[in-house]
Amino acid sequence: MILEPFIFEIGSNFSDIQTKFSLEAKTSGVNFIKESNWYRLKTPVGFISLQEWKGKLHSIAYEIDIDDVETKKKLINYLFEKYKNNFEWVERVDNGFYISYESSNDSIQGIHAYSLGTTISFTSNEIRKAETKVRFPNL
């Protein structure tokens, strides 16, 4: 598959990615964890946004910018299969803007955003919990 070189394990050492690819530093519009860093990388089908925190990859978002509907569907299915690591995708929620999936082992969240283009993202629950503490300190 065309994205095979751009599949990275959530929680992997970010320095491994930095040594293999030329990453462009990116400013995130929403960054609740100020100690995290965002980067951008060009692929044959769009861009990838990567979030590094504490030396690890915690979030990856694939912006799929192609017109062919069948190829796009194949890429979406391929990504969800690649990021399914010893678990199942459960708790599917569709809010009209995106479909959110939780991993059965509570390790990551997968999102298929479809309202403004197509973005497939995977985020560690570790950073999601840390972001929740920043956003809602009294919880």
Side-chain angles (χ1 to χ4, degrees), residues 48-115:
I48 298 175
S49 294
L50 304 158
Q51 184 182 23
E52 174 272 329
W53 182 46
K54 298 182 179 180
K56 304 283 185 194
L57 175 65
H58 280 275
S59 185
I60 184 164
Y62 296 86
E63 300 167 24
I64 300 173
D65 188 20
I66 57 173
D67 294 327
D68 184 86
V69 174
E70 285 306 310
T71 302
K72 192 180 291 191
K73 284 180 187 176
K74 287 178 184 176
L75 286 171
I76 293 166
N77 291 334
Y78 171 79
L79 288 170
F80 273 94
E81 274 303 309
K82 282 302 214 178
Y83 282 91
K84 185 169 79 174
N85 188 15
N86 297 319
F87 60 76
E88 296 299 318
W89 292 110
V90 296
E91 294 189 41
R92 182 181 183 272
V93 176
D94 187 341
N95 70 2
F97 299 101
Y98 61 84
I99 304 170
S100 173
Y101 301 87
E102 295 291 335
S103 60
S104 59
N105 67 355
D106 198 36
S107 62
I108 69 172
Q109 176 188 44
I111 292 180
H112 170 195
Y114 56 82
S115 63

Side-chain angles (χ1 to χ4, degrees), residues 12-69:
S12 64
N13 288 326
F14 200 79
S15 60
D16 294 344
I17 298 169
Q18 286 179 305
T19 58
K20 293 179 186 172
F21 295 93
S22 178
L23 302 176
E24 174 189 333
K26 175 183 170 183
T27 303
S28 173
V30 176
N31 192 5
F32 298 110
I33 303 296
K34 300 297 181 201
E35 304 82 16
S36 72
N37 298 297
W38 284 90
Y39 299 91
R40 193 171 154 136
L41 175 62
K42 178 83 172 115
T43 76
V45 295
F47 282 93
I48 298 175
S49 294
L50 304 158
Q51 184 182 23
E52 174 272 329
W53 182 46
K54 298 182 179 180
K56 304 283 185 194
L57 175 65
H58 280 275
S59 185
I60 184 164
Y62 296 86
E63 300 167 24
I64 300 173
D65 188 20
I66 57 173
D67 294 327
D68 184 86
V69 174

